[in-house]
Amino acid sequence: MKSLVKSLAACFAAALPLAGALAFEPFEQSAGQSSSSSGSSAPAPSGPIRFAEGRYELGRRTRALERAWMNCRDADRRSAAIPRVQTAVLGFFSGNAGVVAQSLDETAAALRGQSPDAADRWVAALSVTPARALVDLREPALDVTIATLYEVNAPRPALTLRLAVGKSAAMVRLTADTPLPHRVRVAFEPSKQDIDAALEVAVGTPGNPARQSWRIGVSRVRDLDRRLTALDAAAMALTKAPAPDAFDLERATLATRVSLLKALRERPPLETDLAGAEILRDTERLVEGLRATPPRSTLVGRAGETLLSAPTAKGPLPARALASPEAPVLVIAFHGAGGSENMFFDGYGDGEIVRLCRARGWALACPRVTSPLDDYGPVIERLPALLAPKAKRIFIVGHSLGAATALVVATKYADRLAGIAPISGRAPGATGALKSLPTFVSAGTKDFSRSGAEQLAERLRAQETPTTFKLYEAEHLLVVPDALPDIFAWMDNLAQRPR
């Protein structure tokens, strides 16, 4: 088992790079509301940045690639894209963010049928990074770093950027001689209300100023440091209560959320856009409930997305969930190596599984996966009653390392499950416990896990497990959004059967 875990963890470092933080040098000089090529920023070493520093940008690019893949119906374009994505996978292995970013950008453009000129390629290569994802309302401006993730084999043209938060904008002009990274400040509008806002980015050239645009989540809250200090103290006091008890899940959630809020306060966007203001307010409500007499849970009975943590012997297990008190079905999704609880929500087809669950009124739970050997019992034993108390069926979906995890969990809890769907996975050991459990096995035709998935399907069929097996014209990453609609159609059929 341990050798299998090791090989799976090595085979794909991340499909959507999550669970890291961008880290640039501290600001040496601030620009005003307008910045030009005067050389106001200090030169920095050129070359590929370290992998951990580009996780947010790589995630943004991966989601763009997934959207382009899902929108492309041209079989030839799709086929031509597969080797390019495999190049990105090799970049993940080597930890070279520049190689990965360039492969993702070029592949997305090819899938869209675009032929980018030199200016388009320079625009695509840029990264824009706010210094922090969560700031105090009293802060007058947001520090932003402009850099490149990779070099373009063409002279850099004059580039323009419009960076805006609300109605306040900074206009930036980069010439061929402007040193990168380049630092600017974007002024905030005065506000008295907590807000989950965004840094709106538009990049182009003087003649075409909006060649590409995107948004980066930035949250602003009042009295931020005082509120974080109060939450930190509450977490320390409340987590000293004897465990386990009726509120151990709430306390585990509190501890994890406080750590997350501190990270949002201290760092650039970690891996995806998170509603820091709403997370802060919801965590304060969680503390109020735990301090009430008698204590009460604010996690019970809610609907919609939420962040929570299940208590385990190793500590809190973070999960991102879509709660639905009336849901007849709960789907549990285990992500691949290098990901986090955000991966199925924001990646794997730009959140395809969330759309599929919402369309059916189903609930969804996505725990963080580090190893199939970890304790995921609370996910099966505790989360269904919290997220979908009326659910009659539970399905498990997993990709790559998450597929192995799904199979391990299913061998322990087969009697509680309605079916499992391992994508690009292999049998982690004995499968006898799965004999009566409907299973949908899938992989890509150019997937390095194809042989393992084929062997898994053969083993299950040999023991007469109800098995569906399907291959998709894809590789290891893009097979997931292709397979999910068929998996959900398969689950629809099983959910309609009498128990």
Side-chain angles (χ1 to χ4, degrees), residues 22-204:
L22 302 171
F24 291 96
E25 291 301 314
F27 276 65
E28 298 164 341
Q29 183 172 340
S30 297
Q33 278 300 97
S34 179
S35 177
S36 66
S37 60
S38 60
S40 60
S41 55
S46 61
I49 64 173
R50 294 192 304 276
F51 179 73
E53 293 180 343
R55 294 179 74 91
Y56 181 92
E57 282 288 340
L58 293 181
R60 182 175 69 82
R61 285 165 164 79
T62 302
R63 293 191 290 275
L65 169 65
E66 291 170 341
R67 289 192 293 269
W69 175 264
M70 296 171 72
N71 291 332
C72 181
R73 294 295 177 261
D74 187 306
D76 290 338
R77 286 183 192 169
R78 277 187 157 221
S79 179
I82 290 176
R84 293 173 180 262
V85 180
Q86 291 171 325
T87 298
V89 172
L90 294 176
F92 281 124
F93 293 156
S94 66
N96 191 323
V99 169
V100 178
Q102 188 167 11
S103 296
L104 295 174
D105 289 340
E106 292 176 351
T107 306
L111 286 167
R112 292 191 289 261
Q114 298 171 339
S115 299
D117 59 20
D120 288 326
R121 287 184 282 134
W122 272 106
V123 166
L126 289 182
S127 65
V128 177
T129 307
R132 286 174 292 144
L134 180 61
V135 299
D136 193 285
L137 280 175
R138 291 170 292 190
E139 296 182 43
L142 179 68
D143 294 325
V144 178
T145 297
I146 303 165
T148 54
L149 285 182
Y150 54 88
E151 294 295 324
V152 176
N153 187 25
R156 193 174 83 201
L159 300 175
T160 63
L161 293 91
R162 184 180 188 273
L163 309 177
V165 180
K167 297 179 180 179
S168 180
M171 307 304 297
V172 183
R173 180 183 174 92
L174 304 176
T175 72
D177 299 323
T178 306
L180 295 176
H182 186 71
R183 279 98 176 180
V184 299
R185 291 175 66 84
V186 182
F188 286 128
E189 296 177 278
S191 177
K192 295 182 179 180
Q193 300 296 323
D194 295 355
I195 182 172
D196 287 309
L199 173 66
E200 304 283 351
V201 181
V203 187

Side-chain angles (χ1 to χ4, degrees), residues 56-411:
Y56 181 92
E57 282 288 340
L58 293 181
R60 182 175 69 82
R61 285 165 164 79
T62 302
R63 293 191 290 275
L65 169 65
E66 291 170 341
R67 289 192 293 269
W69 175 264
M70 296 171 72
N71 291 332
C72 181
R73 294 295 177 261
D74 187 306
D76 290 338
R77 286 183 192 169
R78 277 187 157 221
S79 179
I82 290 176
R84 293 173 180 262
V85 180
Q86 291 171 325
T87 298
V89 172
L90 294 176
F92 281 124
F93 293 156
S94 66
N96 191 323
V99 169
V100 178
Q102 188 167 11
S103 296
L104 295 174
D105 289 340
E106 292 176 351
T107 306
L111 286 167
R112 292 191 289 261
Q114 298 171 339
S115 299
D117 59 20
D120 288 326
R121 287 184 282 134
W122 272 106
V123 166
L126 289 182
S127 65
V128 177
T129 307
R132 286 174 292 144
L134 180 61
V135 299
D136 193 285
L137 280 175
R138 291 170 292 190
E139 296 182 43
L142 179 68
D143 294 325
V144 178
T145 297
I146 303 165
T148 54
L149 285 182
Y150 54 88
E151 294 295 324
V152 176
N153 187 25
R156 193 174 83 201
L159 300 175
T160 63
L161 293 91
R162 184 180 188 273
L163 309 177
V165 180
K167 297 179 180 179
S168 180
M171 307 304 297
V172 183
R173 180 183 174 92
L174 304 176
T175 72
D177 299 323
T178 306
L180 295 176
H182 186 71
R183 279 98 176 180
V184 299
R185 291 175 66 84
V186 182
F188 286 128
E189 296 177 278
S191 177
K192 295 182 179 180
Q193 300 296 323
D194 295 355
I195 182 172
D196 287 309
L199 173 66
E200 304 283 351
V201 181
V203 187
T205 54
N208 184 1
R211 288 176 180 251
Q212 192 174 135
S213 61
W214 66 94
R215 67 196 308 274
I216 305 168
V218 176
S219 301
R220 302 176 63 202
V221 302
R222 54 185 169 74
D223 300 327
L224 175 56
D225 291 332
R226 178 188 62 78
R227 293 165 74 181
L228 284 180
T229 299
L231 284 177
D232 197 22
M236 293 181 63
L238 290 168
T239 53
K240 291 180 180 179
D245 65 14
F247 297 97
D248 57 346
L249 191 146
E250 285 76 7
R251 294 201 309 273
T253 297
L254 173 60
T256 302
R257 286 198 194 172
V258 170
S259 295
L260 172 63
L261 288 165
K262 287 180 178 178
L264 294 175
R265 171 58 167 157
E266 297 167 358
R267 306 174 189 170
L270 300 178
E271 56 183 27
T272 189
D273 293 329
L274 295 173
E278 176 54 33
I279 295 171
L280 177 61
R281 289 192 297 267
D282 193 55
T283 305
E284 290 172 333
R285 290 191 289 266
L286 177 63
V287 169
E288 291 176 4
L290 291 174
R291 284 176 166 172
T293 305
R296 55 182 174 79
S297 173
T298 59
L299 301 179
V300 174
R302 65 170 55 195
E305 290 190 26
T306 188
L307 300 175
L308 49 82
S309 292
T312 74
K314 288 187 175 181
L317 174 66
R320 187 169 171 181
L322 176 65
S324 179
E326 302 297 323
V329 171
L330 170 65
V331 178
I332 298 171
F334 293 106
H335 62 79
S340 79
E341 61 276 12
N342 296 313
M343 197 164 181
F344 267 104
F345 271 80
D346 296 329
Y348 285 143
D350 195 28
E352 176 70 0
I353 198 170
V354 181
R355 290 188 290 272
L356 292 168
C357 283
R358 286 188 184 277
R360 292 163 170 77
W362 292 1
L364 174 66
C366 301
R368 184 179 297 175
V369 178
T370 54
S371 165
L373 302 179
D374 283 344
D375 178 17
Y376 300 99
V379 175
I380 303 295
E381 298 169 2
R382 302 284 299 276
L383 296 192
L386 182 67
L387 301 173
K390 295 185 178 180
K392 301 299 183 183
R393 289 174 173 83
I394 301 173
F395 293 98
I396 294 181
V397 176
H399 173 243
S400 195
L401 182 67
T405 302
L407 290 162
V408 171
V409 172
T411 60

Side-chain angles (χ1 to χ4, degrees), residues 451-467:
S451 62
E454 290 174 332
Q455 293 168 13
L456 170 61
E458 291 174 2
R459 288 180 59 183
L460 293 173
R461 285 171 172 165
Q463 66 181 28
E464 300 183 349
T465 295
T467 303

